[in-house]
Amino acid sequence: MTEASSTEAAKARRSDATRAAILTAARERFAADGYERATIRAIAADANIDPSMVMRYYGNKEKLFAAAAEFDLRLPDLTGVPRDEIGARLTGHLVDRWEHDDTLMALLRAAVTNQAAAERMRRLFAAQLGPVVTALVADPAEAPVRAGLIATQALGFALTRYVLCLPPVVALDRAAVVAWLGPTIQRYLAGERAE
């Protein structure tokens, strides 16, 4: 490796580390303060860098939020799961995802007050949950409605547990959450409708 390429590699590593520090600080700040109250200056302070560096890498707050709010639900392939266990499996997976990632909280907080964040949340669930539901339901034309209803349970739970911190919901352990929400999600997938 030449001296020039070694220097370029070191710069690239520093650049990657700076971007990672900015994104970590942004996720934490957006999760704590929401989109409207989070500032570039506060995010830069949290990352121990100059605010101009945030602007250099991301341009503006909206672009920074877009990068920080990338969230992969990492939904499992549920096609091989016994039909009567899918709701519980999906619920357990979502709880596990949320317990270990502040990105959803940042996105959820921001979506309540910011239209761009709300649109991002809609696209995220449509793009990631929609295909999973389509593969599981008998009538693919009903998949968008069913995925939307599942999102009401998933996002409603996340809002009350992680953002509003409603004590009875916060106190539920994983098994209790699955026991309460799993059957409802199962019903949305199975095609049963209340008449």
Side-chain angles (χ1 to χ4, degrees), residues 119-132:
E119 178 58 29
R120 188 164 199 76
M121 183 71 84
R122 286 190 288 271
R123 284 195 317 261
L124 182 148
F125 269 80
Q128 295 183 37
L129 186 59
V132 170

Side-chain angles (χ1 to χ4, degrees), residues 89-168:
R89 184 81 58 95
L90 182 56
T91 301
H93 173 79
L94 291 172
V95 171
D96 293 343
R97 270 308 278 124
W98 295 331
E99 291 287 329
H100 302 96
D101 195 323
D102 288 337
T103 305
L104 179 68
M105 296 321 108
L107 187 54
L108 193 56
R109 275 185 193 277
V112 173
T113 60
N114 180 273
Q115 191 56 40
E119 178 58 29
R120 188 164 199 76
M121 183 71 84
R122 286 190 288 271
R123 284 195 317 261
L124 182 148
F125 269 80
Q128 295 183 37
L129 186 59
V132 170
V133 173
T134 299
L136 295 171
V137 298
D139 182 359
E142 290 185 352
V145 171
R146 293 178 186 284
L149 291 169
I150 291 168
T152 67
Q153 298 302 302
L155 295 174
F157 170 78
L159 181 69
T160 56
R161 183 175 178 111
Y162 304 110
V163 177
L164 301 175
C165 300
L166 190 65

Side-chain angles (χ1 to χ4, degrees), residues 10-139:
K11 282 182 183 179
R13 282 192 300 275
R14 281 194 306 274
S15 178
D16 289 347
T18 300
R19 283 180 184 272
I22 292 168
L23 286 178
T24 298
R27 286 182 183 117
E28 291 171 0
R29 182 62 61 176
F30 285 129
D33 296 347
Y35 180 85
E36 302 300 331
R37 289 184 23 228
T39 65
I40 294 292
R41 189 173 301 282
I43 291 166
D46 293 346
N48 294 317
I49 61 170
D50 188 88
S52 66
M53 294 298 289
V54 176
M55 300 305 284
R56 175 180 169 204
Y57 286 113
Y58 294 99
N60 60 38
K61 184 168 133 177
E62 188 173 316
K63 289 178 183 174
L64 173 60
F65 179 77
E70 281 301 317
F71 187 77
D72 185 355
L73 293 170
R74 296 184 199 144
L75 293 170
D77 179 5
L78 298 170
T79 55
V81 175
R83 297 289 300 167
D84 62 341
E85 296 176 20
I86 294 174
R89 184 81 58 95
L90 182 56
T91 301
H93 173 79
L94 291 172
V95 171
D96 293 343
R97 270 308 278 124
W98 295 331
E99 291 287 329
H100 302 96
D101 195 323
D102 288 337
T103 305
L104 179 68
M105 296 321 108
L107 187 54
L108 193 56
R109 275 185 193 277
V112 173
T113 60
N114 180 273
Q115 191 56 40
E119 178 58 29
R120 188 164 199 76
M121 183 71 84
R122 286 190 288 271
R123 284 195 317 261
L124 182 148
F125 269 80
Q128 295 183 37
L129 186 59
V132 170
V133 173
T134 299
L136 295 171
V137 298
D139 182 359

